[in-house]
Amino acid sequence: MQNEIIFTTKSEFVFNTIKNRILENVLEPGSELIISRISEELNVSIIPVREALKALESEGLVEMEPHKSAKVADFSVEKLRQIITIRAGLEGYASRLAVRYINDINMKKLEDILQNMKKAMEAADSENFNLCNMKFHRYIYQIPPFPMLYDMIINVWDGGKWTRSVFAISPKRMRTSLSEHIEILDAIKEKNEDKVEKLVREHRMNAGLELEIMSKLKHE
């Protein structure tokens, strides 16, 4: 028997259902979210639907206007810039903390991920490269015993998933990114907290700048 996901409230159920549809591009940017339809489809009253949409709005995934239907958030270069800046700060700090708690098992795991990342780059497989990139960073952010910090990073990360992977837009970024990941791991091995934080911040801003440039060109 498969394990079922148990939601504590109806609004949480609606929140996760709509959020997953947005992140999986089932609901595309600009899609209208009509409360009555969602209520009927998910067999809940309109109250938990409204609560869920407000929560999704706070994560930047939904836009709501008074007396109008909600919609999936549209592309915005300014929004992208804010997300990247916030992520750079949070992820840099989480990586700094990870240096204090990382062990040999953690290091081996990160080295294995980098090996898979290198194979993906050599195969020009941007999708798998992006997956390895995500695994690398999320693994580091889970090392410090600060789950609230990790949750904050993931919430901001999810808020930017309406943008395409920078590696899909600019495949040449994979080689540069791999070099940056190797530098980060070397700095972690050196137990150099300042260097790790600096490298992670720069890595995030570099990827964000590339994505911003390419996204602007795409929307011109």
Side-chain angles (χ1 to χ4, degrees):
M1 180 182 294
Q2 292 183 337
N3 293 329
E4 294 184 356
I5 298 175
I6 300 175
F7 300 103
T8 57
T9 65
K10 290 182 179 179
S11 61
E12 182 181 340
F13 163 67
V14 177
F15 172 86
N16 282 283
T17 300
I18 298 176
K19 181 175 181 177
N20 288 336
R21 291 179 182 179
I22 293 173
L23 299 184
E24 293 168 4
N25 288 321
V26 175
L27 291 171
E28 298 181 347
S31 298
E32 191 174 15
L33 301 170
I34 300 175
I35 293 176
S36 59
R37 290 183 184 173
I38 296 172
S39 171
E40 182 178 354
E41 179 190 352
L42 300 182
N43 195 29
V44 297
S45 70
I46 62 174
I47 295 176
V49 176
R50 284 179 176 152
E51 291 174 346
L53 292 178
K54 288 296 293 182
L56 288 164
E57 181 184 31
S58 70
E59 290 196 6
L61 293 172
V62 166
E63 295 175 354
M64 299 182 69
E65 295 182 24
H67 313 299
K68 292 184 179 180
S69 298
K71 68 175 183 177
V72 178
D74 288 317
F75 171 84
S76 165
V77 172
E78 177 56 34
K79 181 177 179 181
L80 169 63
R81 194 174 292 133
Q82 290 184 44
I83 288 173
I84 294 299
T85 301
I86 294 169
R87 282 186 59 183
L90 291 175
E91 294 178 32
Y93 184 61
S95 300
R96 179 189 188 92
L97 291 176
V99 174
R100 306 175 189 179
Y101 297 95
I102 198 164
N103 57 38
D104 291 341
I105 295 175
N106 300 146
M107 289 299 303
K108 179 63 169 61
K109 176 67 175 179
L110 291 171
E111 288 171 349
D112 289 344
I113 294 173
L114 281 189
Q115 283 300 314
N116 290 331
M117 189 178 289
K118 182 179 179 182
K119 291 177 182 177
M121 181 200 70
E122 292 171 345
D125 184 349
S126 63
E127 183 176 349
N128 194 37
F129 189 94
N130 188 51
L131 180 61
C132 291
N133 171 70
M134 181 179 69
K135 286 181 178 179
F136 181 87
H137 289 287
R138 291 194 177 193
Y139 187 79
I140 290 174
Y141 308 151
Q142 291 182 81
I143 292 174
F146 296 94
M148 288 181 64
L149 176 58
Y150 178 77
D151 289 343
M152 289 173 66
I153 291 171
I154 298 307
N155 284 338
V156 178
W157 195 320
D158 285 348
K161 280 190 176 176
W162 40 264
T163 62
R164 294 178 62 199
S165 162
V166 66
F167 309 117
I169 296 175
S170 180
K172 67 179 182 180
R173 170 67 190 160
M174 286 191 284
R175 186 171 298 278
T176 304
S177 178
L178 179 61
S179 297
E180 291 172 355
H181 282 85
I182 292 172
E183 282 189 89
I184 291 169
L185 189 57
D186 286 344
I188 291 175
K189 291 177 181 177
E190 296 167 5
K191 299 290 185 180
N192 190 329
E193 295 181 14
D194 290 340
K195 187 176 181 181
V196 169
E197 182 171 10
K198 178 176 180 292
L199 288 173
V200 171
R201 283 174 177 264
E202 290 176 350
H203 169 69
R204 182 57 57 220
M205 296 304 294
N206 288 342
L209 179 60
E210 183 87 19
L211 185 55
E212 181 178 335
I213 292 171
M214 298 304 294
S215 296
K216 280 181 178 179
L217 292 174
K218 184 175 183 292
H219 286 79
E220 285 181 352

